[in-house]
Amino acid sequence: MNSRILFVCTGNYYRSRFAEILFNSLSEKQQLNYHAFSKGLRLSKNNKGPISKHCIAFFKERYPEMTYDLRMPMPFDQGDFDYYDKIILMDRSEHAPMINKLYPGKHPELEYWDIVDDYIRAPEEVLPILEKTVIELIDELKNH
């Protein structure tokens, strides 16, 4: 059985979707026993579809052979704490307060990255950093 990883951001439209799709593509190529999914802590009605156009453009340029499922954003919920083997939130400063407010109590098993949203830093800067971070996670899991 595959280990389940959940990537979480605010809207499940940009960062977490990018991480999920890239992770699954790389994990499959490396034949790792891991599968990722993604969800959001506060979905937006302003999303213009299932994933940011910046993510699609990045994948077309850097991974033209990649195929992926386009589904609408999904909300994070309490049951995710037990269902997933590893939960990674995209930005500690943004998401730790949200988790603590929505799900009070200690969650020591959560991992936080420092990948900021596109209104803070341009996708052209953020997506290569997120790509590198996902690749580092794949390497870590492969060597574990």
Coordinates of all heavy atoms in Angstrom, one line a residue, residues 37-126:
F37 N -1.9 13.9 -2.4 CA -3.2 14.6 -2.7 C -3.0 16.0 -2.1 O -2.0 16.3 -1.4 CB -4.4 13.9 -2.0 CG -5.7 14.2 -2.6 CD1 -6.0 13.7 -3.8 CD2 -6.6 14.9 -1.9 CE1 -7.3 14.0 -4.4 CE2 -7.9 15.2 -2.4 CZ -8.2 14.8 -3.7
S38 N -4.0 16.9 -2.4 CA -3.9 18.2 -1.9 C -5.3 18.8 -1.5 O -6.3 18.3 -2.1 CB -3.2 19.2 -2.9 OG -4.0 19.3 -4.0
K39 N -5.2 19.7 -0.5 CA -6.5 20.3 0.0 C -6.2 21.7 0.4 O -5.0 22.1 0.5 CB -7.1 19.5 1.1 CG -7.6 18.1 0.7 CD -8.4 17.5 1.8 CE -9.0 16.1 1.3 NZ -9.9 15.6 2.4
G40 N -7.2 22.5 0.7 CA -7.1 23.9 1.1 C -7.8 24.1 2.4 O -8.8 23.5 2.7
L41 N -7.2 25.1 3.2 CA -7.8 25.4 4.5 C -8.9 26.4 4.4 O -9.8 26.5 5.2 CB -6.7 26.0 5.4 CG -5.6 25.1 5.8 CD1 -4.5 25.8 6.5 CD2 -6.2 24.0 6.8
R42 N -8.9 27.2 3.3 CA -10.0 28.3 3.1 C -10.2 28.5 1.6 O -9.5 29.3 1.0 CB -9.6 29.6 3.8 CG -10.7 30.6 3.8 CD -10.3 31.8 4.6 NE -9.2 32.5 3.9 CZ -8.1 33.0 4.5 NH1 -8.0 33.0 5.8 NH2 -7.2 33.6 3.8
L43 N -11.0 27.7 1.0 CA -11.2 27.7 -0.4 C -11.9 29.0 -0.8 O -12.7 29.6 -0.1 CB -12.1 26.6 -0.9 CG -11.7 25.1 -0.6 CD1 -12.6 24.1 -1.3 CD2 -10.2 24.9 -0.9
S44 N -11.5 29.5 -2.0 CA -12.0 30.8 -2.5 C -13.0 30.6 -3.6 O -12.8 29.7 -4.5 CB -10.8 31.6 -3.0 OG -11.2 32.8 -3.7
K45 N -14.0 31.4 -3.6 CA -15.0 31.3 -4.7 C -14.4 32.0 -6.0 O -15.0 32.0 -7.0 CB -16.3 32.0 -4.3 CG -17.0 31.2 -3.2 CD -18.2 32.0 -2.8 CE -19.1 31.3 -1.7 NZ -18.4 30.7 -0.7
N46 N -13.3 32.7 -5.8 CA -12.7 33.5 -6.9 C -11.7 32.6 -7.8 O -11.2 33.1 -8.8 CB -11.9 34.7 -6.4 CG -12.8 35.7 -5.7 OD1 -13.9 35.8 -6.1 ND2 -12.3 36.3 -4.6
N47 N -11.5 31.4 -7.4 CA -10.6 30.5 -8.2 C -11.3 30.4 -9.6 O -12.5 30.2 -9.7 CB -10.4 29.2 -7.6 CG -9.6 29.2 -6.4 OD1 -8.9 30.2 -6.1 ND2 -9.5 28.1 -5.7
K48 N -10.4 30.5 -10.6 CA -10.9 30.4 -12.0 C -10.8 29.0 -12.6 O -10.2 28.9 -13.7 CB -10.2 31.5 -12.8 CG -10.5 32.9 -12.4 CD -9.6 33.9 -13.1 CE -9.9 35.3 -12.7 NZ -9.7 35.6 -11.3
G49 N -11.2 28.0 -11.8 CA -11.0 26.7 -12.3 C -10.3 25.8 -11.3 O -10.2 26.2 -10.1
P50 N -9.8 24.6 -11.8 CA -9.2 23.7 -10.9 C -7.8 24.0 -10.4 O -7.3 23.5 -9.4 CB -9.2 22.4 -11.6 CG -9.3 22.8 -13.1 CD -10.0 24.1 -13.1
I51 N -7.0 24.8 -11.2 CA -5.6 25.0 -10.9 C -5.2 26.3 -11.5 O -5.7 26.7 -12.6 CB -4.7 23.8 -11.3 CG1 -3.3 24.0 -10.8 CG2 -4.8 23.6 -12.8 CD1 -2.4 22.7 -11.0
S52 N -4.2 27.0 -10.9 CA -3.7 28.2 -11.4 C -3.1 28.1 -12.8 O -2.4 27.1 -13.1 CB -2.6 28.8 -10.4 OG -1.9 29.8 -11.0
K53 N -3.3 29.1 -13.6 CA -2.7 29.1 -15.0 C -1.2 29.1 -14.9 O -0.5 28.6 -15.8 CB -3.2 30.3 -15.8 CG -2.8 31.6 -15.2 CD -3.4 32.8 -16.0 CE -2.9 34.1 -15.4 NZ -3.4 35.3 -16.0
H54 N -0.6 29.6 -13.8 CA 0.8 29.7 -13.7 C 1.4 28.3 -13.5 O 2.5 28.0 -14.0 CB 1.2 30.5 -12.5 CG 0.7 31.9 -12.6 ND1 1.2 32.8 -13.5 CD2 -0.2 32.6 -11.9 CE1 0.6 34.0 -13.4 NE2 -0.3 33.9 -12.4
C55 N 0.7 27.4 -12.8 CA 1.1 26.0 -12.6 C 1.1 25.3 -14.0 O 2.0 24.6 -14.3 CB 0.2 25.3 -11.6 SG 0.2 26.0 -10.0
I56 N 0.0 25.5 -14.7 CA -0.2 24.8 -16.0 C 0.9 25.2 -17.0 O 1.6 24.4 -17.6 CB -1.6 25.0 -16.6 CG1 -2.6 24.3 -15.8 CG2 -1.6 24.6 -18.1 CD1 -4.0 24.6 -16.1
A57 N 1.2 26.5 -17.0 CA 2.3 27.1 -17.8 C 3.6 26.5 -17.4 O 4.5 26.1 -18.3 CB 2.3 28.6 -17.8
F58 N 3.9 26.4 -16.2 CA 5.2 25.8 -15.7 C 5.3 24.4 -16.1 O 6.4 24.0 -16.6 CB 5.2 26.0 -14.1 CG 6.6 25.6 -13.5 CD1 7.5 26.6 -13.3 CD2 6.9 24.3 -13.2 CE1 8.7 26.3 -12.7 CE2 8.1 23.9 -12.7 CZ 9.0 24.9 -12.4
F59 N 4.3 23.6 -15.9 CA 4.3 22.2 -16.3 C 4.5 22.0 -17.8 O 5.3 21.2 -18.2 CB 3.0 21.5 -15.8 CG 2.9 21.3 -14.3 CD1 1.7 21.3 -13.7 CD2 4.0 21.1 -13.5 CE1 1.5 21.1 -12.4 CE2 3.9 20.9 -12.1 CZ 2.6 21.0 -11.6
K60 N 3.8 22.8 -18.6 CA 4.0 22.7 -20.0 C 5.4 23.0 -20.5 O 5.9 22.4 -21.4 CB 3.0 23.7 -20.7 CG 1.6 23.2 -20.8 CD 0.7 24.1 -21.6 CE -0.7 23.5 -21.6 NZ -1.7 24.4 -22.2
E61 N 6.0 24.0 -19.8 CA 7.4 24.4 -20.2 C 8.4 23.4 -19.6 O 9.3 22.9 -20.4 CB 7.7 25.8 -19.6 CG 9.1 26.2 -20.0 CD 9.4 27.6 -19.3 OE1 8.6 28.4 -19.3 OE2 10.6 27.7 -18.9
R62 N 8.3 23.0 -18.4 CA 9.3 22.1 -17.7 C 9.1 20.6 -17.8 O 10.0 19.8 -17.8 CB 9.5 22.5 -16.3 CG 9.9 24.0 -16.0 CD 11.4 24.2 -16.3 NE 12.2 23.6 -15.3 CZ 12.7 24.3 -14.2 NH1 12.5 25.5 -14.1 NH2 13.5 23.7 -13.3
Y63 N 7.8 20.2 -17.9 CA 7.4 18.8 -17.9 C 6.4 18.6 -19.0 O 5.2 18.2 -18.7 CB 6.9 18.4 -16.5 CG 7.8 18.6 -15.4 CD1 7.9 19.8 -14.7 CD2 8.7 17.6 -15.0 CE1 8.8 20.0 -13.6 CE2 9.6 17.8 -14.0 CZ 9.6 19.0 -13.3 OH 10.5 19.2 -12.3
P64 N 6.7 18.8 -20.3 CA 5.7 18.7 -21.3 C 5.1 17.3 -21.5 O 3.9 17.2 -21.9 CB 6.5 19.1 -22.6 CG 7.9 18.9 -22.3 CD 8.1 19.1 -20.8
E65 N 5.7 16.3 -21.0 CA 5.2 14.9 -21.1 C 4.2 14.6 -19.9 O 3.6 13.6 -20.0 CB 6.3 13.9 -21.2 CG 7.0 13.6 -19.8 CD 7.9 14.8 -19.2 OE1 8.2 15.8 -19.9 OE2 8.2 14.7 -18.0
M66 N 4.2 15.4 -18.9 CA 3.4 15.2 -17.7 C 1.9 15.2 -18.0 O 1.4 16.1 -18.7 CB 3.8 16.2 -16.6 CG 3.0 15.9 -15.3 SD 3.2 17.3 -14.1 CE 5.0 17.2 -13.8
T67 N 1.2 14.2 -17.5 CA -0.2 14.2 -17.5 C -0.8 14.3 -16.1 O -0.1 13.8 -15.2 CB -0.8 12.9 -18.2 OG1 -0.3 11.8 -17.5 CG2 -0.3 12.8 -19.6
Y68 N -1.9 14.9 -15.9 CA -2.5 15.0 -14.6 C -4.0 15.3 -14.6 O -4.5 15.7 -15.7 CB -1.8 16.1 -13.8 CG -1.6 17.4 -14.6 CD1 -2.6 18.4 -14.6 CD2 -0.4 17.6 -15.3 CE1 -2.4 19.6 -15.3 CE2 -0.3 18.8 -16.0 CZ -1.3 19.8 -16.0 OH -1.1 20.9 -16.7
D69 N -4.6 15.0 -13.5 CA -6.0 15.1 -13.4 C -6.4 16.6 -13.0 O -5.8 17.1 -12.0 CB -6.5 14.1 -12.3 CG -8.0 14.3 -12.0 OD1 -8.8 14.5 -13.0 OD2 -8.4 14.1 -10.9
L70 N -7.3 17.2 -13.6 CA -7.8 18.5 -13.2 C -9.1 18.4 -12.5 O -10.1 18.0 -13.1 CB -7.9 19.4 -14.4 CG -6.6 19.9 -15.1 CD1 -6.9 20.8 -16.3 CD2 -5.7 20.6 -14.1
R71 N -9.0 18.6 -11.2 CA -10.2 18.5 -10.4 C -10.4 19.8 -9.6 O -9.4 20.6 -9.5 CB -10.2 17.3 -9.4 CG -9.0 17.5 -8.5 CD -9.1 16.7 -7.2 NE -7.9 16.8 -6.3 CZ -7.6 17.8 -5.5 NH1 -8.4 18.9 -5.4 NH2 -6.5 17.8 -4.8
M72 N -11.5 20.1 -9.1 CA -11.7 21.3 -8.4 C -11.1 21.3 -7.0 O -10.9 20.2 -6.5 CB -13.2 21.7 -8.3 CG -13.9 22.0 -9.6 SD -13.1 23.3 -10.5 CE -13.5 24.7 -9.5
P73 N -10.7 22.4 -6.4 CA -10.2 22.4 -5.1 C -11.1 21.7 -4.1 O -12.3 21.8 -4.2 CB -10.0 23.9 -4.8 CG -9.9 24.6 -6.1 CD -10.8 23.8 -7.0
M74 N -10.4 21.1 -3.1 CA -11.1 20.4 -2.0 C -10.7 21.0 -0.6 O -9.6 21.3 -0.4 CB -10.9 18.9 -2.1 CG -11.4 18.3 -3.4 SD -11.2 16.5 -3.4 CE -12.3 16.1 -2.1
P75 N -11.7 21.0 0.3 CA -11.3 21.5 1.6 C -10.7 20.5 2.6 O -11.0 19.3 2.5 CB -12.7 21.9 2.2 CG -13.7 21.0 1.5 CD -13.1 20.7 0.2
F76 N -9.8 20.9 3.3 CA -9.1 20.2 4.4 C -10.2 19.9 5.5 O -11.0 20.8 5.7 CB -8.0 21.0 5.0 CG -7.2 20.2 6.0 CD1 -6.1 19.4 5.7 CD2 -7.5 20.4 7.4 CE1 -5.4 18.8 6.7 CE2 -6.8 19.7 8.4 CZ -5.7 18.9 8.0
D77 N -10.1 18.8 6.1 CA -11.1 18.5 7.3 C -10.4 17.7 8.4 O -9.3 17.2 8.2 CB -12.4 17.9 6.8 CG -12.2 16.5 6.2 OD1 -11.7 15.6 6.9 OD2 -12.6 16.3 5.0
Q78 N -11.0 17.6 9.5 CA -10.5 16.9 10.7 C -10.0 15.5 10.4 O -9.0 15.1 10.9 CB -11.6 16.9 11.8 CG -11.2 16.3 13.1 CD -10.2 17.1 13.9 OE1 -10.4 18.3 14.0 NE2 -9.2 16.5 14.5
G79 N -10.7 14.8 9.6 CA -10.4 13.4 9.3 C -9.0 13.3 8.6 O -8.4 12.2 8.6
D80 N -8.6 14.3 7.9 CA -7.3 14.3 7.2 C -6.1 14.0 8.2 O -5.1 13.4 7.8 CB -7.0 15.6 6.4 CG -8.1 15.7 5.3 OD1 -8.5 14.7 4.7 OD2 -8.4 16.9 5.0
F81 N -6.2 14.5 9.4 CA -5.2 14.2 10.4 C -4.9 12.8 10.6 O -3.7 12.4 10.7 CB -5.5 14.9 11.8 CG -5.5 16.4 11.8 CD1 -6.6 17.1 11.9 CD2 -4.3 17.0 11.7 CE1 -6.6 18.5 12.0 CE2 -4.2 18.4 11.7 CZ -5.4 19.1 11.9
D82 N -5.9 11.9 10.5 CA -5.7 10.5 10.7 C -5.5 9.7 9.4 O -4.8 8.7 9.4 CB -7.0 9.9 11.4 CG -7.1 10.4 12.8 OD1 -6.1 10.6 13.5 OD2 -8.3 10.6 13.3
Y83 N -6.0 10.2 8.3 CA -6.0 9.5 7.1 C -4.6 9.6 6.4 O -4.1 8.6 5.9 CB -7.0 10.1 6.1 CG -7.1 9.3 4.8 CD1 -7.7 8.0 4.7 CD2 -6.6 9.8 3.6 CE1 -7.8 7.3 3.5 CE2 -6.6 9.1 2.4 CZ -7.2 7.9 2.4 OH -7.2 7.2 1.2
Y84 N -4.0 10.7 6.5 CA -2.7 10.9 5.8 C -1.5 10.5 6.6 O -1.5 10.9 7.8 CB -2.6 12.3 5.2 CG -3.5 12.5 4.0 CD1 -4.8 13.1 4.3 CD2 -3.2 12.1 2.8 CE1 -5.7 13.2 3.2 CE2 -4.1 12.2 1.7 CZ -5.4 12.8 2.0 OH -6.3 12.9 0.9
D85 N -0.5 9.9 6.0 CA 0.7 9.6 6.8 C 1.6 10.8 7.0 O 2.4 10.8 8.0 CB 1.5 8.5 6.0 CG 0.7 7.3 5.7 OD1 0.2 6.7 6.7 OD2 0.4 6.9 4.6
K86 N 1.6 11.7 6.1 CA 2.4 13.0 6.2 C 1.6 14.1 5.7 O 1.0 14.0 4.6 CB 3.6 12.8 5.4 CG 4.7 13.9 5.5 CD 5.9 13.5 4.6 CE 7.1 14.3 4.9 NZ 7.7 14.0 6.1
I87 N 1.5 15.2 6.5 CA 0.8 16.4 6.1 C 1.8 17.5 6.0 O 2.5 17.8 7.0 CB -0.4 16.7 7.0 CG1 -1.4 15.6 7.0 CG2 -1.1 18.1 6.6 CD1 -2.6 15.8 8.0
I88 N 1.8 18.2 4.8 CA 2.8 19.3 4.6 C 2.0 20.5 4.3 O 1.3 20.5 3.3 CB 3.8 19.0 3.5 CG1 4.6 17.7 3.9 CG2 4.7 20.2 3.3 CD1 5.4 17.2 2.7
L89 N 2.1 21.6 5.1 CA 1.5 22.8 4.8 C 2.5 23.8 4.1 O 3.7 23.8 4.5 CB 0.9 23.5 6.1 CG -0.2 22.6 6.7 CD1 0.2 21.7 7.8 CD2 -1.4 23.5 7.1
M90 N 2.0 24.5 3.2 CA 2.9 25.3 2.3 C 3.7 26.4 3.0 O 4.8 26.7 2.6 CB 2.2 25.8 1.1 CG 1.7 24.7 0.1 SD 3.0 23.9 -0.7 CE 3.0 22.3 0.0
D91 N 3.1 27.1 4.0 CA 3.7 28.3 4.5 C 3.4 28.4 6.0 O 2.3 28.6 6.4 CB 3.3 29.5 3.8 CG 4.0 30.8 4.3 OD1 5.0 30.7 4.9 OD2 3.5 31.9 4.0
R92 N 4.4 28.2 6.9 CA 4.2 28.2 8.3 C 3.6 29.5 8.8 O 2.6 29.5 9.6 CB 5.6 28.0 9.1 CG 5.4 28.1 10.6 CD 6.7 27.9 11.3 NE 7.3 26.6 11.1 CZ 6.9 25.5 11.7 NH1 6.0 25.5 12.6 NH2 7.6 24.3 11.5
S93 N 4.1 30.6 8.4 CA 3.5 31.9 8.9 C 2.1 32.1 8.5 O 1.3 32.7 9.2 CB 4.4 33.1 8.4 OG 4.3 33.2 7.0
E94 N 1.7 31.6 7.4 CA 0.3 31.7 6.9 C -0.6 30.6 7.5 O -1.7 30.9 7.9 CB 0.3 31.7 5.4 CG -1.1 31.8 4.7 CD -1.0 31.7 3.2 OE1 0.0 31.5 2.6 OE2 -2.1 31.8 2.6
H95 N -0.1 29.4 7.5 CA -1.0 28.3 7.8 C -1.0 27.8 9.2 O -2.0 27.2 9.6 CB -0.7 27.1 6.8 CG -0.9 27.5 5.4 ND1 0.0 27.4 4.4 CD2 -2.0 28.1 4.8 CE1 -0.5 27.9 3.3 NE2 -1.7 28.3 3.5
A96 N 0.0 28.0 10.0 CA 0.0 27.6 11.4 C -1.1 28.3 12.2 O -1.8 27.6 12.9 CB 1.4 27.8 12.0
P97 N -1.3 29.6 12.0 CA -2.4 30.2 12.7 C -3.7 29.7 12.3 O -4.6 29.6 13.1 CB -2.2 31.7 12.4 CG -0.8 31.9 12.0 CD -0.4 30.6 11.3
M98 N -3.9 29.4 11.0 CA -5.2 28.9 10.5 C -5.5 27.5 11.1 O -6.6 27.2 11.5 CB -5.1 28.8 9.0 CG -5.1 30.1 8.3 SD -4.8 29.8 6.5 CE -6.4 30.3 5.8
I99 N -4.5 26.6 11.1 CA -4.6 25.3 11.7 C -5.0 25.4 13.2 O -5.9 24.7 13.7 CB -3.3 24.4 11.5 CG1 -3.3 23.9 10.1 CG2 -3.3 23.3 12.5 CD1 -4.2 22.8 9.7
N100 N -4.3 26.3 13.9 CA -4.5 26.4 15.3 C -5.9 27.0 15.6 O -6.5 26.6 16.6 CB -3.4 27.3 16.0 CG -2.1 26.6 16.0 OD1 -2.0 25.4 16.0 ND2 -1.0 27.4 15.9
K101 N -6.4 27.8 14.7 CA -7.7 28.4 14.9 C -8.8 27.3 14.6 O -9.8 27.2 15.3 CB -7.9 29.6 14.1 CG -9.2 30.3 14.3 CD -9.4 31.6 13.5 CE -10.7 32.2 13.7 NZ -11.0 33.3 12.8
L102 N -8.6 26.7 13.4 CA -9.6 25.7 12.9 C -9.6 24.4 13.7 O -10.7 23.8 13.9 CB -9.4 25.4 11.5 CG -9.6 26.6 10.5 CD1 -9.1 26.2 9.1 CD2 -11.1 26.9 10.4
Y103 N -8.4 24.0 14.1 CA -8.3 22.7 14.8 C -7.4 22.9 16.0 O -6.2 22.5 16.1 CB -7.7 21.7 13.9 CG -8.4 21.6 12.6 CD1 -8.0 22.2 11.4 CD2 -9.6 20.8 12.5 CE1 -8.7 22.1 10.3 CE2 -10.3 20.7 11.3 CZ -9.9 21.4 10.2 OH -10.6 21.3 9.0
P104 N -8.0 23.5 17.1 CA -7.2 23.8 18.3 C -6.5 22.5 18.9 O -7.1 21.4 18.8 CB -8.2 24.4 19.3 CG -9.4 24.7 18.5 CD -9.3 23.9 17.3
G105 N -5.4 22.7 19.5 CA -4.7 21.5 20.0 C -3.3 21.4 19.3 O -3.0 22.1 18.4
K106 N -2.5 20.5 19.9 CA -1.2 20.3 19.3 C -1.2 19.4 18.1 O -1.9 18.4 18.1 CB -0.3 19.8 20.4 CG -0.1 20.8 21.5 CD 0.9 20.3 22.5 CE 0.9 21.3 23.7 NZ 2.1 21.8 24.0
H107 N -0.5 19.8 17.1 CA -0.4 19.0 15.9 C 1.1 18.8 15.6 O 1.6 19.4 14.6 CB -1.2 19.6 14.7 CG -2.6 19.8 15.1 ND1 -3.5 18.8 15.1 CD2 -3.3 20.9 15.3 CE1 -4.7 19.2 15.4 NE2 -4.6 20.5 15.6
P108 N 1.8 18.1 16.4 CA 3.3 18.0 16.2 C 3.7 17.3 14.9 O 4.8 17.4 14.4 CB 3.8 17.3 17.4 CG 2.6 16.5 17.9 CD 1.4 17.3 17.5
E109 N 2.7 16.5 14.4 CA 3.1 15.7 13.2 C 3.0 16.5 11.9 O 3.4 16.0 10.9 CB 2.1 14.5 13.1 CG 0.7 14.8 12.7 CD -0.2 15.3 13.9 OE1 0.3 15.5 15.0 OE2 -1.4 15.5 13.7
L110 N 2.6 17.7 12.0 CA 2.5 18.5 10.8 C 3.9 19.1 10.4 O 4.7 19.4 11.2 CB 1.6 19.7 11.0 CG 0.1 19.4 11.3 CD1 -0.7 20.6 11.5 CD2 -0.5 18.5 10.2
E111 N 4.1 19.1 9.1 CA 5.4 19.7 8.5 C 5.0 21.0 7.8 O 4.0 21.1 7.2 CB 6.0 18.7 7.6 CG 7.3 19.2 7.0 CD 8.0 18.1 6.1 OE1 7.8 16.9 6.4 OE2 8.6 18.5 5.2
Y112 N 5.9 22.0 8.0 CA 5.6 23.3 7.3 C 6.8 23.6 6.4 O 7.9 23.5 6.8 CB 5.4 24.4 8.4 CG 4.2 24.3 9.1 CD1 4.1 23.7 10.4 CD2 3.0 24.9 8.7 CE1 2.9 23.6 11.1 CE2 1.8 24.9 9.4 CZ 1.8 24.2 10.6 OH 0.6 24.1 11.3
W113 N 6.4 24.1 5.2 CA 7.4 24.7 4.3 C 7.3 26.2 4.4 O 6.4 26.7 5.1 CB 7.2 24.2 2.9 CG 7.6 22.7 2.7 CD1 8.2 21.9 3.6 CD2 7.3 21.9 1.6 NE1 8.4 20.6 3.1 CE2 7.8 20.6 1.9 CE3 6.8 22.1 0.3 CZ2 7.8 19.6 0.9 CZ3 6.7 21.1 -0.6 CH2 7.2 19.8 -0.3
D114 N 8.1 26.9 3.6 CA 8.1 28.4 3.6 C 7.9 28.8 2.1 O 8.7 29.6 1.6 CB 9.3 29.0 4.2 CG 9.4 28.7 5.7 OD1 8.5 29.0 6.4 OD2 10.5 28.1 6.1
I115 N 6.8 28.4 1.5 CA 6.4 28.7 0.2 C 5.3 29.7 0.2 O 4.1 29.4 0.5 CB 6.0 27.5 -0.7 CG1 7.0 26.3 -0.5 CG2 5.8 27.8 -2.1 CD1 8.4 26.6 -1.1
V116 N 5.6 31.0 -0.2 CA 4.6 32.1 0.0 C 3.6 32.1 -1.2 O 3.9 31.5 -2.3 CB 5.2 33.4 0.1 CG1 6.0 33.5 1.5 CG2 6.1 33.8 -1.0
D117 N 2.5 32.7 -1.1 CA 1.4 32.8 -2.1 C 1.8 33.8 -3.2 O 2.7 34.6 -3.0 CB 0.1 33.2 -1.4 CG -1.1 32.5 -2.2 OD1 -0.9 32.1 -3.3 OD2 -2.2 32.4 -1.6
D118 N 1.1 33.7 -4.3 CA 1.4 34.5 -5.5 C 1.2 36.0 -5.3 O 1.6 36.8 -6.1 CB 0.8 33.9 -6.8 CG -0.7 34.0 -6.7 OD1 -1.3 34.4 -5.7 OD2 -1.3 33.6 -7.8
Y119 N 0.4 36.4 -4.3 CA 0.2 37.8 -4.1 C 1.3 38.4 -3.3 O 1.4 39.6 -3.2 CB -1.2 38.1 -3.5 CG -1.3 37.6 -2.1 CD1 -0.9 38.3 -1.0 CD2 -1.9 36.3 -1.8 CE1 -1.1 37.8 0.3 CE2 -2.0 35.8 -0.6 CZ -1.6 36.6 0.5 OH -1.7 36.1 1.8
I120 N 2.2 37.6 -2.7 CA 3.4 38.0 -2.0 C 4.6 38.0 -2.9 O 5.4 38.9 -2.8 CB 3.6 37.1 -0.7 CG1 2.4 37.3 0.2 CG2 4.9 37.5 0.0 CD1 2.4 36.4 1.4
R121 N 4.8 37.0 -3.7 CA 5.9 36.8 -4.5 C 5.5 36.2 -5.8 O 4.7 35.3 -5.9 CB 6.9 35.9 -3.8 CG 8.3 36.0 -4.3 CD 9.3 35.4 -3.3 NE 10.6 35.2 -3.9 CZ 11.5 34.4 -3.5 NH1 11.3 33.7 -2.4 NH2 12.7 34.3 -4.1
A122 N 6.0 36.7 -6.9 CA 5.6 36.2 -8.3 C 5.8 34.7 -8.5 O 6.8 34.2 -8.0 CB 6.4 37.0 -9.3
P123 N 4.8 34.1 -9.2 CA 4.9 32.7 -9.5 C 6.2 32.3 -10.2 O 6.7 31.2 -10.0 CB 3.7 32.4 -10.4 CG 2.7 33.5 -10.0 CD 3.6 34.7 -9.7
E124 N 6.8 33.2 -11.0 CA 8.0 32.9 -11.7 C 9.2 32.7 -10.7 O 10.2 32.0 -11.0 CB 8.4 34.0 -12.7 CG 7.4 34.3 -13.8 CD 6.1 35.0 -13.3 OE1 6.2 35.9 -12.4 OE2 5.1 34.7 -13.8
E125 N 9.1 33.3 -9.5 CA 10.0 33.1 -8.5 C 9.7 31.9 -7.6 O 10.5 31.1 -7.1 CB 10.2 34.3 -7.6 CG 10.7 35.6 -8.3 CD 10.7 36.8 -7.4 OE1 11.0 36.7 -6.2 OE2 10.3 37.9 -7.9
V126 N 8.4 31.8 -7.2 CA 7.9 30.8 -6.3 C 7.9 29.4 -6.8 O 8.4 28.4 -6.1 CB 6.5 31.2 -5.8 CG1 5.9 30.0 -4.9 CG2 6.5 32.5 -5.0

